[in-house]
Amino acid sequence: MMALQVAGGVLPPLPARGGRGRALFRPPRAVASGAAPAAAKEEDGKVALGGSGVAVTKLGIGAWSWGDTTYWNEFQWDDRKLKAAKGAFDASIDCGITFFDTAEVYGAGVSGAINSESLLGRFIKERQQKEEAEVAIATKFAALPWRFGRGSVISALKASLDRLGVSSVELYQLHWPGIWGNEGYLDGLGDAVEQGLVKAVGVSNYSEKRLRDAYERLKKRGIPLASNQVNYSLIYRNPEENGVKAACDELGITLIAYSPIAQGALTGKYTPDNPPKGPRGRIYTPEFLTKLQPLINRIKEIGGNYGRTPTQVVLNWLVCQGNVVPIPGAKNAEQAREFAGALGWSLAASEVEELRSMAREIKPVIGFPVEKL
């Protein structure tokens, strides 16, 4: 997920604190080859992130909302929300979902009460005190204008590792393209792999051209570009339209889909008479939700045939696209358990296309500006 998508403004990271421990999950590292796979390989209920050799669950959990008080949580953070977030983490593990996505700017600085990375690290430590738990962590580097060169990536990564309390993470991503210095950032990703601080590297909010350039630059060092994390859902299909999805499939880069349930708009929870509150209400207006209702009704009908909720249907729709790992944000245990129910079954091909056709004319006015660059 992308914390700066509509929340407004770029926020500095919190200072590093805490210590680093051992990594929780160490799959083998692969290197980039001349022939990229068309899609991620599946094994034991997991998928490989591109050609990296890092395997993650077919669905992950986004931690954008954890600690945030700017976009989520009704602008406040308290013990009740903290317990709910911990419940979301534990329920995810209990359901077999072990891939968690966070970022240094989630809940950082003036945007939140506590950094999302710090919360995730705390939850992992508390769980590990009870039992051995396999967790795959993805976090991100913020391409802030005052950060220069490859060294800035390593410095930021080490601060993230301190907050997470681990010695390495499974996936480190460039959160968005910088105004300048992108080649240096990519070199920093390569350095992070070679220093053993990360097991795979990716990008986020990268256009097709930027994606191909990043792929080629890392490939020269024998390092695969594992992923591109972009906004992708049934009603926001820019990755299909701007060449990003096709390029990911061609190059063997996993597409990680943030906002896969359109920030709740596709769950059926919201109606023209009950729109979401806060910043989301400016996107998913009563007028937009009125246009969305026929699609939501059909999603409910299809879900009824499978004994699944609308949320599970739209997440499964993304999984059916192939080479896509959705990362819906879970704020509590109930949501996490519901997300897990999107796996283990599949929509019919005719249903996948029917929903795509119905959603074709329904598109929220959102997005990240660099998608077109």
Side-chain angles (χ1 to χ4, degrees), residues 7-78:
V10 177
L11 302 165
L14 287 171
R17 63 178 180 271
R20 282 176 275 151
R22 64 181 183 85
L24 298 173
F25 179 46
R26 293 183 178 276
R29 177 192 160 202
V31 297
S33 62
K41 295 180 180 179
E42 296 188 12
E43 184 177 352
D44 298 329
K46 295 184 178 181
V47 292
L49 290 176
S52 69
V54 173
V56 300
T57 46
K58 296 180 182 179
L59 183 145
I61 296 296
W64 172 10
S65 69
W66 295 0
D68 178 80
T69 56
T70 297
Y71 195 81
W72 300 101
N73 301 309
E74 299 176 347
F75 309 107
Q76 60 181 342
W77 186 257
D78 53 30

Side-chain angles (χ1 to χ4, degrees), residues 21-370:
R22 64 181 183 85
L24 298 173
F25 179 46
R26 293 183 178 276
R29 177 192 160 202
V31 297
S33 62
K41 295 180 180 179
E42 296 188 12
E43 184 177 352
D44 298 329
K46 295 184 178 181
V47 292
L49 290 176
S52 69
V54 173
V56 300
T57 46
K58 296 180 182 179
L59 183 145
I61 296 296
W64 172 10
S65 69
W66 295 0
D68 178 80
T69 56
T70 297
Y71 195 81
W72 300 101
N73 301 309
E74 299 176 347
F75 309 107
Q76 60 181 342
W77 186 257
D78 53 30
D79 287 343
R80 182 177 61 83
K81 290 183 172 62
L82 173 62
K83 292 178 181 178
K86 176 64 162 55
F89 173 83
D90 284 329
S92 299
I93 299 294
D94 293 341
C95 292
I97 298 175
T98 58
F99 181 40
F100 295 87
D101 178 84
T102 183
E104 63 176 332
V105 295
Y106 292 168
V110 296
S111 76
I114 185 170
N115 186 278
S116 174
E117 290 177 326
S118 298
L119 287 173
L120 177 58
R122 180 192 305 180
F123 297 161
I124 292 172
K125 182 178 179 180
E126 291 174 354
R127 182 80 181 205
Q128 288 282 17
Q129 289 173 344
K130 297 179 180 179
E131 62 180 354
E132 186 69 19
E134 176 189 286
V135 178
I137 303 171
T139 192
K140 310 182 195 73
F141 167 84
L144 303 171
W146 54 86
R147 283 180 163 171
F148 297 95
R150 61 207 304 170
S152 64
V153 175
I154 299 299
S155 296
L157 171 58
K158 288 182 177 179
S160 287
L161 294 176
D162 281 340
R163 286 187 290 270
L164 288 161
V166 297
S167 60
S168 67
V169 292
E170 280 60 53
L171 179 66
Y172 196 51
Q173 306 152 95
L174 302 181
H175 208 152
W176 62 85
I179 299 173
W180 48 67
N182 289 292
E183 291 185 348
Y185 295 154
L186 290 166
D187 292 340
L189 289 184
D191 295 344
V193 172
E194 292 176 353
Q195 292 179 29
L197 300 175
V198 302
K199 302 174 185 65
V201 290
V203 292
S204 181
N205 298 294
Y206 267 49
S207 65
E208 179 189 359
K209 181 181 184 305
R210 289 186 182 274
L211 183 68
R212 291 184 182 277
D213 290 346
Y215 172 87
E216 291 297 334
R217 190 170 186 87
L218 287 168
K219 181 181 176 182
K220 291 177 181 178
R221 296 177 66 174
I223 297 172
L225 180 63
S227 61
N228 185 18
Q229 185 177 145
V230 294
N231 189 344
Y232 187 28
S233 70
L234 176 59
I235 58 173
Y236 189 82
R237 299 200 309 283
N238 265 25
E240 297 177 1
E241 300 159 2
N242 61 17
V244 165
K245 176 64 166 66
C248 285
D249 293 346
E250 173 194 339
L251 300 174
I253 299 169
T254 299
L255 191 154
I256 299 176
Y258 71 77
S259 294
I261 55 177
Q263 299 181 16
L266 287 171
T267 65
K269 174 181 179 181
Y270 300 112
T271 66
D273 296 326
N274 179 40
K277 298 178 181 179
R280 288 181 295 163
R282 296 195 294 268
I283 303 169
Y284 305 107
T285 63
E287 293 77 15
F288 178 84
L289 292 171
T290 297
K291 295 179 181 178
L292 188 62
Q293 284 309 295
L295 176 62
I296 293 295
N297 291 337
R298 183 58 183 142
I299 290 170
K300 289 180 178 178
E301 290 176 359
I302 292 174
N305 295 333
Y306 291 92
R308 305 288 172 169
T309 68
T311 297
Q312 292 166 343
V313 170
V314 296
L315 288 173
N316 189 270
W317 185 91
L318 279 173
V319 174
C320 286
Q321 306 312 306
N323 196 34
V324 175
V325 176
I327 51 167
K331 297 170 70 175
N332 54 57
E334 182 181 4
Q335 289 179 349
R337 286 190 286 265
E338 183 178 18
F339 296 156
L343 302 177
W345 62 284
S346 181
L347 292 166
S350 59
E351 293 166 334
V352 170
E353 188 51 43
E354 178 189 359
L355 292 177
R356 173 182 279 108
S357 179
M358 288 188 68
R360 191 159 283 132
E361 303 303 322
I362 308 170
K363 187 173 181 180
V365 183
I366 56 175
F368 201 63
V370 296

